[in-house]
Amino acid sequence: MQAKIISNKAQTKVTPFQFTWRMLNNPLDALTYFAQTYGDMTHIQLPKRNFYFVNHPQFIEDVLVKQHANFVKGPSIQRARVILGEGLLTSEGKEHLAQRRALQPAFYRNKIEEYLPLMNENILHHTEGWENHSTIDMTEEMMRLTLNIALWSFFGNAPQDSVERVSRSMKTLIRLFPLAQLPLPDVTRMFFPKFRQAKDDLDRITQSLINNQSQVENVKRALIQILKEENNQFSESQIHAHTLTFLLAGHETTALLLTWCWDMLAHHPHVQEKLQNEVDAVLENRLPTADDIQKLTYTTSVVKETLRMRPPAWAMGRQAIENCIVGEQEIKAGDVVLMSQWVMQHDSRFYDSALQFRPERWLLNPKPSLPRYAYFPFGGGNRVCIGEHFAMIEAVTALALIARHWKVKPINSKMAIPKPSVTLRPRANVKVLIEKR
Ligand code: HEM
């Protein structure tokens, strides 16, 4: 599906007041409004710099792929350095390229498939205490499940106190993240006691997980060994930054994806039934293998459709380091370009019935031609999410194993309301009623 570009160049300037007022009210509605009102290129003039919000796959591809060398990560990721240090998410240029080359092999699909038995075991263990006809807080449960899986995969074990402490610190840091967004020097932020406490605790847990010299088989295969083996390449502070990045980036996003999947399934019983039929037919009574995951095509399309409608990464930014041109718009060094998965992936120019949850759209044969960047839940270009296979395999496995034994029903008649913060979270935790199948 191709779509004509609605304005190659920003025609109207959005004022700082209009931008701030709308974004404070509801960022998802604000960005949707800008795209619908001003077309595919909105110019927002803020006191210190220009922002351009682009909403066409061609422009997004320009920024992320064709002209990526003209851009670095946007201000909000730059400020996340105060938490993450110089890891893969925050480094730039040659430094990033070298890190990415060294780490990429550990994230190839066949490598990630080796973690499958560990994922299966964690999912079964996590759900064994669930009781028939009880209410389950899926937001909490999925957060803990994915954190456990991350700890086991990255460090080879998951000491109970580390699960508690990482969850607690993460909650504080996410709550206080707007603080990290204030344009203050890093050192000032460290005077906010709660922020500093949470960050210090995360650093301490990460370091003790790194130092764990246990020789169990799991540890030998865990991601941390790959970092340590590349010892000549990675300094101690880089190992620390990478592990912290994988721990944070690697569990919260996937937990939210799963939470949104359960909300969708609870409110679309016919989709849930179809998914369960597929799981029964493919798995019978076995635990999923890598081959099974490939065969779970409907389950995979439920995950893809959820990523379209509830993208955990709902917007991303880039800052120009060189003057360049996107569409016909001149972007000056220092300007910021915003792109939103939420707005693009709800665009009816590219999706029939864009507001409807229809996993079948991913199985159509022949596939409708979707421009590459009309769908980018994992970003794109040289900074595409390194954990994409990890997240997809984990999400499909968790849905399949849980849906095989449990039917979920909604508690509220309305679906959860998305609340965008660092990631796209539900405004209130998603709770469902579970029934044994
Ligand atoms: C549903 C789950 C996930 C979503 C939606 C997601 C989304 C994203 C997006 C959109 C980016 C690009 C950000 C940008 O370019 O500004 C990204 C980068 C990244 N993600 Fe993920 N992610 C997920 C899971 C994971 C997992 C499981 C891991 C680790 C195992 C991970 C680690 C990273 C890292 C390290 C980067 C930076 C890559 C680079 O810049 O080279 N993510 N993610």
Side-chain angles (χ1 to χ4, degrees), residues 64 73-74 77 87-91 96 100 107 112 154 223 242 245-247 249-257 307 311-313 315-318 341 376-380 382-388 390-392 394-395:
L64 293 183
K73 292 255 171 129
I77 294 270
L88 199 56
L89 197 68
T90 46
S91 60
H96 171 260
R100 180 91 193 197
F107 286 90
I112 299 300
F154 304 159
L223 193 68
H242 287 313
T245 301
F246 290 136
L247 197 54
H251 92 274
E252 211 250 348
T253 41
T254 317
L256 289 173
L257 166 60
L307 279 168
M316 47 199 260
R318 291 289 187 269
Q341 286 89 342
F376 62 114
F378 292 101
N382 65 333
R383 310 297 305 241
V384 71
C385 176
I386 201 168
E388 175 172 355
F390 192 99
M392 287 302 290
E394 183 179 4

Short mmCIF file of all heavy atoms in Angstrom, two decimals, residues 64 73-74 77 87-91 96 100 107 112 154 223 242 245-247 249-257 307 311-313 315-318 341 376-380 382-388 390-392 394-395, ligand 1:
data_model
loop_
_atom_site.label_atom_id
_atom_site.label_comp_id
_atom_site.label_asym_id
_atom_site.label_seq_id
_atom_site.Cartn_x
_atom_site.Cartn_y
_atom_site.Cartn_z
N LEU A 64 16.27 7.03 9.74
CA LEU A 64 16.84 5.87 10.44
C LEU A 64 17.85 5.11 9.60
O LEU A 64 18.75 4.47 10.13
CB LEU A 64 15.72 4.90 10.86
CG LEU A 64 14.74 5.39 11.92
CD1 LEU A 64 13.75 4.29 12.27
CD2 LEU A 64 15.49 5.85 13.18
N LYS A 73 21.17 9.81 18.63
CA LYS A 73 19.93 9.59 19.38
C LYS A 73 19.38 10.92 19.92
O LYS A 73 20.15 11.85 20.17
CB LYS A 73 20.19 8.65 20.55
CG LYS A 73 20.52 7.23 20.09
CD LYS A 73 19.37 6.30 20.30
CE LYS A 73 19.61 4.97 19.65
NZ LYS A 73 19.40 3.83 20.52
N GLY A 74 18.08 10.95 20.13
CA GLY A 74 17.44 12.17 20.60
C GLY A 74 17.77 12.50 22.05
O GLY A 74 18.35 11.67 22.77
N ILE A 77 17.07 9.91 25.12
CA ILE A 77 18.02 8.78 25.28
C ILE A 77 19.39 9.33 25.73
O ILE A 77 20.06 8.73 26.56
CB ILE A 77 18.17 7.97 23.97
CG1 ILE A 77 16.85 7.27 23.61
CG2 ILE A 77 19.32 6.97 24.06
CD1 ILE A 77 16.67 5.89 24.17
N GLY A 87 26.35 2.39 27.34
CA GLY A 87 26.06 1.05 26.81
C GLY A 87 25.61 1.15 25.37
O GLY A 87 25.67 2.21 24.75
N LEU A 88 25.09 0.02 24.86
CA LEU A 88 24.72 -0.04 23.44
C LEU A 88 23.62 0.96 23.09
O LEU A 88 23.60 1.52 22.00
CB LEU A 88 24.26 -1.47 23.15
CG LEU A 88 24.24 -1.89 21.70
CD1 LEU A 88 25.58 -1.71 21.03
CD2 LEU A 88 23.78 -3.32 21.56
N LEU A 89 22.70 1.17 24.03
CA LEU A 89 21.56 2.05 23.74
C LEU A 89 21.98 3.52 23.63
O LEU A 89 21.38 4.29 22.91
CB LEU A 89 20.54 1.89 24.88
CG LEU A 89 19.12 2.37 24.65
CD1 LEU A 89 18.42 1.51 23.62
CD2 LEU A 89 18.33 2.33 25.96
N THR A 90 23.03 3.88 24.37
CA THR A 90 23.36 5.31 24.49
C THR A 90 24.64 5.73 23.76
O THR A 90 24.86 6.91 23.56
CB THR A 90 23.54 5.67 25.99
OG1 THR A 90 24.34 4.67 26.58
CG2 THR A 90 22.23 5.75 26.71
N SER A 91 25.49 4.75 23.36
CA SER A 91 26.75 5.15 22.71
C SER A 91 26.49 5.60 21.28
O SER A 91 25.41 5.35 20.72
CB SER A 91 27.73 3.97 22.73
OG SER A 91 27.15 2.90 22.03
N HIS A 96 29.77 2.98 19.10
CA HIS A 96 28.58 2.15 18.98
C HIS A 96 28.80 1.02 17.99
O HIS A 96 28.45 -0.13 18.25
CB HIS A 96 27.36 3.00 18.56
CG HIS A 96 26.18 2.15 18.21
ND1 HIS A 96 25.83 1.85 16.91
CD2 HIS A 96 25.30 1.48 19.00
CE1 HIS A 96 24.78 1.05 16.92
NE2 HIS A 96 24.43 0.81 18.18
N ARG A 100 28.40 -2.87 18.84
CA ARG A 100 27.32 -3.61 18.16
C ARG A 100 27.90 -4.84 17.45
O ARG A 100 27.34 -5.94 17.52
CB ARG A 100 26.62 -2.66 17.19
CG ARG A 100 25.48 -3.24 16.40
CD ARG A 100 24.16 -3.04 17.11
NE ARG A 100 23.14 -3.87 16.50
CZ ARG A 100 21.85 -3.70 16.66
NH1 ARG A 100 21.38 -2.77 17.43
NH2 ARG A 100 21.00 -4.52 16.10
N PHE A 107 23.05 -12.33 19.66
CA PHE A 107 21.61 -12.09 19.51
C PHE A 107 21.04 -12.65 18.22
O PHE A 107 19.89 -12.38 17.88
CB PHE A 107 21.31 -10.58 19.62
CG PHE A 107 21.43 -10.08 21.03
CD1 PHE A 107 22.63 -9.60 21.51
CD2 PHE A 107 20.34 -10.13 21.89
CE1 PHE A 107 22.76 -9.16 22.83
CE2 PHE A 107 20.45 -9.69 23.21
CZ PHE A 107 21.66 -9.21 23.67
N ILE A 112 19.58 -17.21 20.26
CA ILE A 112 18.49 -16.94 21.20
C ILE A 112 17.66 -18.20 21.42
O ILE A 112 17.17 -18.46 22.53
CB ILE A 112 17.60 -15.77 20.67
CG1 ILE A 112 18.42 -14.49 20.54
CG2 ILE A 112 16.40 -15.54 21.56
CD1 ILE A 112 19.05 -13.98 21.80
N PHE A 154 20.79 -13.72 31.07
CA PHE A 154 21.96 -12.86 31.01
C PHE A 154 23.01 -13.24 32.06
O PHE A 154 24.20 -13.06 31.84
CB PHE A 154 21.57 -11.38 31.21
CG PHE A 154 20.52 -10.89 30.24
CD1 PHE A 154 19.75 -9.78 30.52
CD2 PHE A 154 20.31 -11.55 29.03
CE1 PHE A 154 18.77 -9.33 29.63
CE2 PHE A 154 19.34 -11.11 28.13
CZ PHE A 154 18.57 -10.01 28.44
N LEU A 223 24.71 -14.64 28.71
CA LEU A 223 25.23 -13.50 27.95
C LEU A 223 26.45 -12.84 28.61
O LEU A 223 27.37 -12.40 27.95
CB LEU A 223 24.10 -12.47 27.83
CG LEU A 223 24.30 -11.36 26.84
CD1 LEU A 223 24.29 -11.89 25.43
CD2 LEU A 223 23.20 -10.34 27.01
N HIS A 242 26.66 -2.39 29.69
CA HIS A 242 25.92 -3.32 28.82
C HIS A 242 24.95 -4.17 29.62
O HIS A 242 23.80 -4.37 29.22
CB HIS A 242 26.89 -4.25 28.09
CG HIS A 242 27.64 -3.56 27.00
ND1 HIS A 242 27.04 -2.74 26.09
CD2 HIS A 242 28.95 -3.55 26.68
CE1 HIS A 242 27.94 -2.24 25.26
NE2 HIS A 242 29.11 -2.72 25.61
N THR A 245 22.03 -2.17 30.72
CA THR A 245 21.17 -1.87 29.57
C THR A 245 20.32 -3.09 29.21
O THR A 245 19.10 -2.99 29.03
CB THR A 245 22.03 -1.48 28.34
OG1 THR A 245 22.81 -0.35 28.69
CG2 THR A 245 21.17 -1.15 27.14
N PHE A 246 20.96 -4.27 29.12
CA PHE A 246 20.20 -5.46 28.74
C PHE A 246 19.14 -5.79 29.78
O PHE A 246 18.03 -6.19 29.46
CB PHE A 246 21.12 -6.67 28.52
CG PHE A 246 21.97 -6.52 27.30
CD1 PHE A 246 23.32 -6.84 27.30
CD2 PHE A 246 21.43 -6.03 26.12
CE1 PHE A 246 24.10 -6.67 26.17
CE2 PHE A 246 22.20 -5.86 24.97
CZ PHE A 246 23.54 -6.18 25.01
N LEU A 247 19.53 -5.59 31.04
CA LEU A 247 18.59 -5.89 32.12
C LEU A 247 17.35 -4.98 32.04
O LEU A 247 16.21 -5.44 32.11
CB LEU A 247 19.31 -5.67 33.45
CG LEU A 247 18.69 -6.28 34.69
CD1 LEU A 247 18.47 -7.76 34.48
CD2 LEU A 247 19.60 -6.07 35.88
N ALA A 249 16.46 -2.68 29.39
CA ALA A 249 15.80 -2.65 28.07
C ALA A 249 15.18 -4.01 27.78
O ALA A 249 14.22 -4.11 27.02
CB ALA A 249 16.80 -2.28 26.98
N GLY A 250 15.77 -5.06 28.38
CA GLY A 250 15.37 -6.41 28.00
C GLY A 250 14.19 -6.99 28.73
O GLY A 250 13.72 -8.06 28.37
N HIS A 251 13.69 -6.35 29.79
CA HIS A 251 12.55 -7.01 30.43
C HIS A 251 11.29 -6.16 30.44
O HIS A 251 10.19 -6.66 30.22
CB HIS A 251 12.91 -7.55 31.83
CG HIS A 251 12.64 -6.61 32.95
ND1 HIS A 251 13.55 -5.66 33.33
CD2 HIS A 251 11.58 -6.46 33.77
CE1 HIS A 251 13.05 -4.98 34.34
NE2 HIS A 251 11.85 -5.43 34.63
N GLU A 252 11.41 -4.87 30.62
CA GLU A 252 10.22 -4.03 30.80
C GLU A 252 9.38 -3.97 29.52
O GLU A 252 8.16 -4.11 29.54
CB GLU A 252 10.68 -2.63 31.22
CG GLU A 252 9.71 -1.90 32.13
CD GLU A 252 9.07 -0.74 31.43
OE1 GLU A 252 9.53 -0.38 30.34
OE2 GLU A 252 8.07 -0.21 31.96
N THR A 253 10.08 -3.78 28.38
CA THR A 253 9.37 -3.68 27.08
C THR A 253 8.62 -4.98 26.78
O THR A 253 7.46 -4.95 26.37
CB THR A 253 10.38 -3.43 25.96
OG1 THR A 253 11.52 -4.24 26.21
CG2 THR A 253 10.77 -1.98 25.85
N THR A 254 9.29 -6.12 27.01
CA THR A 254 8.65 -7.40 26.68
C THR A 254 7.50 -7.67 27.66
O THR A 254 6.47 -8.23 27.27
CB THR A 254 9.68 -8.55 26.73
OG1 THR A 254 10.88 -8.10 26.10
CG2 THR A 254 9.17 -9.77 26.01
N ALA A 255 7.68 -7.25 28.92
CA ALA A 255 6.59 -7.43 29.89
C ALA A 255 5.36 -6.63 29.45
O ALA A 255 4.22 -7.11 29.53
CB ALA A 255 7.05 -6.96 31.27
N LEU A 256 5.59 -5.41 28.97
CA LEU A 256 4.46 -4.59 28.54
C LEU A 256 3.81 -5.19 27.29
O LEU A 256 2.58 -5.22 27.17
CB LEU A 256 4.91 -3.16 28.25
CG LEU A 256 5.27 -2.37 29.52
CD1 LEU A 256 5.87 -1.02 29.18
CD2 LEU A 256 4.03 -2.18 30.41
N LEU A 257 4.64 -5.67 26.38
CA LEU A 257 4.08 -6.33 25.19
C LEU A 257 3.14 -7.46 25.62
O LEU A 257 2.00 -7.57 25.15
CB LEU A 257 5.23 -6.86 24.31
CG LEU A 257 4.83 -7.85 23.22
CD1 LEU A 257 3.84 -7.23 22.24
CD2 LEU A 257 6.08 -8.33 22.45
N LEU A 307 1.89 -5.41 18.88
CA LEU A 307 2.98 -4.44 18.73
C LEU A 307 2.57 -3.28 17.82
O LEU A 307 3.09 -2.18 17.94
CB LEU A 307 4.21 -5.12 18.12
CG LEU A 307 5.09 -5.92 19.07
CD1 LEU A 307 6.08 -6.78 18.29
CD2 LEU A 307 5.84 -5.01 20.02
N PRO A 311 2.40 -0.29 20.79
CA PRO A 311 3.87 -0.42 20.74
C PRO A 311 4.54 0.04 22.05
O PRO A 311 4.40 1.22 22.41
CB PRO A 311 4.26 0.52 19.59
CG PRO A 311 3.12 1.50 19.48
CD PRO A 311 1.88 0.77 19.92
N PRO A 312 5.24 -0.85 22.77
CA PRO A 312 5.88 -0.42 24.03
C PRO A 312 6.80 0.78 23.80
O PRO A 312 6.86 1.68 24.62
CB PRO A 312 6.66 -1.66 24.46
CG PRO A 312 5.93 -2.80 23.86
CD PRO A 312 5.41 -2.31 22.55
N ALA A 313 7.53 0.80 22.66
CA ALA A 313 8.29 2.02 22.30
C ALA A 313 7.37 2.80 21.37
O ALA A 313 7.21 2.45 20.21
CB ALA A 313 9.59 1.63 21.59
N ALA A 315 7.36 6.21 20.64
CA ALA A 315 7.93 7.31 19.86
C ALA A 315 9.44 7.31 20.05
O ALA A 315 9.94 6.82 21.06
CB ALA A 315 7.38 8.66 20.33
N MET A 316 10.15 7.82 19.07
CA MET A 316 11.60 7.93 19.24
C MET A 316 12.12 9.17 18.52
O MET A 316 11.46 9.69 17.62
CB MET A 316 12.31 6.66 18.77
CG MET A 316 11.86 6.13 17.42
SD MET A 316 12.33 4.43 17.24
CE MET A 316 13.80 4.66 16.24
N GLY A 317 13.28 9.61 18.95
CA GLY A 317 13.81 10.86 18.38
C GLY A 317 15.23 10.72 17.91
O GLY A 317 15.95 9.81 18.32
N ARG A 318 15.62 11.61 17.02
CA ARG A 318 17.00 11.72 16.57
C ARG A 318 17.37 13.19 16.52
O ARG A 318 16.54 14.03 16.17
CB ARG A 318 17.16 11.14 15.14
CG ARG A 318 17.00 9.64 15.06
CD ARG A 318 18.20 8.93 15.69
NE ARG A 318 18.18 7.50 15.49
CZ ARG A 318 17.61 6.63 16.32
NH1 ARG A 318 16.97 7.04 17.41
NH2 ARG A 318 17.65 5.34 16.06
N GLN A 341 5.81 5.41 16.56
CA GLN A 341 5.24 4.11 16.19
C GLN A 341 3.74 4.15 16.38
O GLN A 341 2.98 3.60 15.59
CB GLN A 341 5.82 3.01 17.09
CG GLN A 341 7.25 2.61 16.78
CD GLN A 341 8.28 3.42 17.52
OE1 GLN A 341 8.00 4.51 18.03
NE2 GLN A 341 9.49 2.91 17.60
N PHE A 376 7.30 -0.17 12.67
CA PHE A 376 8.70 -0.20 13.18
C PHE A 376 8.73 -0.28 14.70
O PHE A 376 9.39 0.52 15.37
CB PHE A 376 9.51 0.99 12.64
CG PHE A 376 9.02 2.37 13.03
CD1 PHE A 376 9.79 3.20 13.85
CD2 PHE A 376 7.81 2.85 12.57
CE1 PHE A 376 9.36 4.47 14.22
CE2 PHE A 376 7.35 4.12 12.93
CZ PHE A 376 8.13 4.93 13.76
N PRO A 377 8.04 -1.30 15.28
CA PRO A 377 8.01 -1.39 16.74
C PRO A 377 9.40 -1.58 17.36
O PRO A 377 9.61 -1.24 18.52
CB PRO A 377 7.14 -2.62 17.01
CG PRO A 377 7.16 -3.40 15.75
CD PRO A 377 7.33 -2.42 14.64
N PHE A 378 10.35 -2.11 16.56
CA PHE A 378 11.70 -2.31 17.10
C PHE A 378 12.69 -1.29 16.50
O PHE A 378 13.90 -1.49 16.54
CB PHE A 378 12.18 -3.73 16.80
CG PHE A 378 11.41 -4.79 17.56
CD1 PHE A 378 10.41 -5.53 16.95
CD2 PHE A 378 11.68 -5.04 18.90
CE1 PHE A 378 9.70 -6.50 17.64
CE2 PHE A 378 10.98 -6.01 19.60
CZ PHE A 378 9.98 -6.74 18.98
N GLY A 379 12.17 -0.18 15.97
CA GLY A 379 13.05 0.83 15.38
C GLY A 379 13.56 0.37 14.03
O GLY A 379 12.91 -0.44 13.35
N GLY A 380 14.75 0.82 13.63
CA GLY A 380 15.27 0.40 12.33
C GLY A 380 16.66 0.92 12.08
O GLY A 380 17.23 1.66 12.88
N ASN A 382 20.74 1.03 11.61
CA ASN A 382 21.88 0.50 12.39
C ASN A 382 21.59 0.46 13.89
O ASN A 382 22.31 -0.17 14.63
CB ASN A 382 23.16 1.31 12.11
CG ASN A 382 23.03 2.74 12.59
OD1 ASN A 382 21.92 3.27 12.65
ND2 ASN A 382 24.13 3.37 12.94
N ARG A 383 20.50 1.14 14.35
CA ARG A 383 20.17 1.12 15.77
C ARG A 383 18.94 0.26 16.05
O ARG A 383 18.32 0.38 17.12
CB ARG A 383 19.90 2.52 16.31
CG ARG A 383 20.94 3.59 16.00
CD ARG A 383 22.29 3.32 16.59
NE ARG A 383 22.38 3.10 18.01
CZ ARG A 383 23.07 3.85 18.86
NH1 ARG A 383 23.68 4.93 18.44
NH2 ARG A 383 23.15 3.54 20.13
N VAL A 384 18.57 -0.62 15.10
CA VAL A 384 17.39 -1.47 15.34
C VAL A 384 17.61 -2.28 16.62
O VAL A 384 18.75 -2.61 16.97
CB VAL A 384 17.15 -2.39 14.10
CG1 VAL A 384 18.22 -3.46 13.98
CG2 VAL A 384 15.76 -3.00 14.12
N CYS A 385 16.52 -2.58 17.30
CA CYS A 385 16.63 -3.28 18.59
C CYS A 385 17.42 -4.58 18.45
O CYS A 385 17.07 -5.44 17.65
CB CYS A 385 15.22 -3.61 19.10
SG CYS A 385 15.23 -4.56 20.60
N ILE A 386 18.45 -4.73 19.25
CA ILE A 386 19.28 -5.94 19.18
C ILE A 386 18.53 -7.13 19.81
O ILE A 386 18.81 -8.28 19.50
CB ILE A 386 20.65 -5.71 19.87
CG1 ILE A 386 21.68 -6.71 19.38
CG2 ILE A 386 20.53 -5.73 21.39
CD1 ILE A 386 23.10 -6.39 19.78
N GLY A 387 17.54 -6.83 20.64
CA GLY A 387 16.82 -7.90 21.34
C GLY A 387 15.53 -8.33 20.67
O GLY A 387 14.73 -9.04 21.28
N GLU A 388 15.34 -7.95 19.39
CA GLU A 388 14.07 -8.25 18.72
C GLU A 388 13.73 -9.75 18.73
O GLU A 388 12.63 -10.15 19.09
CB GLU A 388 14.12 -7.72 17.28
CG GLU A 388 12.90 -8.09 16.47
CD GLU A 388 12.83 -7.41 15.10
OE1 GLU A 388 13.70 -6.56 14.80
OE2 GLU A 388 11.90 -7.74 14.35
N PHE A 390 14.94 -12.06 20.68
CA PHE A 390 14.75 -12.47 22.07
C PHE A 390 13.32 -12.17 22.50
O PHE A 390 12.61 -13.03 23.04
CB PHE A 390 15.75 -11.72 22.97
CG PHE A 390 15.85 -12.26 24.36
CD1 PHE A 390 16.88 -13.11 24.71
CD2 PHE A 390 14.90 -11.93 25.34
CE1 PHE A 390 16.98 -13.63 26.00
CE2 PHE A 390 14.99 -12.45 26.62
CZ PHE A 390 16.03 -13.29 26.96
N ALA A 391 12.87 -10.93 22.24
CA ALA A 391 11.54 -10.51 22.67
C ALA A 391 10.45 -11.32 21.96
O ALA A 391 9.47 -11.75 22.58
CB ALA A 391 11.36 -9.02 22.39
N MET A 392 10.61 -11.54 20.65
CA MET A 392 9.57 -12.24 19.89
C MET A 392 9.46 -13.70 20.35
O MET A 392 8.37 -14.21 20.59
CB MET A 392 9.86 -12.18 18.38
CG MET A 392 9.61 -10.83 17.74
SD MET A 392 7.91 -10.20 17.94
CE MET A 392 6.95 -11.29 16.90
N GLU A 394 10.40 -14.96 23.20
CA GLU A 394 9.91 -14.99 24.59
C GLU A 394 8.39 -14.74 24.61
O GLU A 394 7.65 -15.45 25.32
CB GLU A 394 10.63 -13.91 25.40
CG GLU A 394 10.24 -13.89 26.87
CD GLU A 394 11.00 -12.82 27.66
OE1 GLU A 394 11.76 -12.05 27.04
OE2 GLU A 394 10.80 -12.76 28.88
N ALA A 395 7.92 -13.77 23.83
CA ALA A 395 6.49 -13.44 23.87
C ALA A 395 5.65 -14.58 23.30
O ALA A 395 4.63 -14.97 23.89
CB ALA A 395 6.24 -12.14 23.09
C1 HEM B 1 8.88 -5.92 22.93
C2 HEM B 1 10.12 -5.75 23.31
C3 HEM B 1 11.02 -4.67 22.81
C4 HEM B 1 10.71 -3.51 22.13
C5 HEM B 1 9.35 -3.00 21.68
C6 HEM B 1 11.97 -2.83 21.89
C7 HEM B 1 12.09 -1.64 21.19
C8 HEM B 1 13.29 -1.06 20.86
C9 HEM B 1 13.44 0.09 19.98
C10 HEM B 1 12.31 0.84 19.31
C11 HEM B 1 14.77 0.35 19.90
C12 HEM B 1 15.41 1.45 19.06
C13 HEM B 1 15.55 2.75 19.84
C14 HEM B 1 16.14 3.85 18.97
O1 HEM B 1 16.62 3.59 17.88
O2 HEM B 1 16.13 5.00 19.43
C15 HEM B 1 15.46 -0.60 20.73
C16 HEM B 1 16.84 -0.64 20.92
C17 HEM B 1 17.46 -1.51 21.77
N1 HEM B 1 16.90 -2.57 22.45
FE1 HEM B 1 14.97 -3.12 22.38
N2 HEM B 1 12.98 -3.56 22.45
C18 HEM B 1 12.44 -4.70 23.01
C19 HEM B 1 13.13 -5.72 23.64
C20 HEM B 1 14.48 -5.74 23.88
C21 HEM B 1 15.21 -6.80 24.53
C22 HEM B 1 14.59 -8.12 24.97
C23 HEM B 1 16.52 -6.39 24.65
C24 HEM B 1 17.71 -7.10 25.24
C25 HEM B 1 17.84 -8.36 25.30
C26 HEM B 1 16.59 -5.07 24.06
C27 HEM B 1 17.74 -4.31 24.01
C28 HEM B 1 17.88 -3.18 23.22
C29 HEM B 1 19.15 -2.48 23.02
C30 HEM B 1 20.48 -2.83 23.67
C31 HEM B 1 18.88 -1.45 22.10
C32 HEM B 1 19.91 -0.46 21.54
C33 HEM B 1 20.45 -1.03 20.23
C34 HEM B 1 21.44 -0.10 19.52
O3 HEM B 1 21.30 1.11 19.62
O4 HEM B 1 22.34 -0.65 18.86
N3 HEM B 1 15.35 -4.71 23.62
N4 HEM B 1 14.56 -1.45 21.30
#
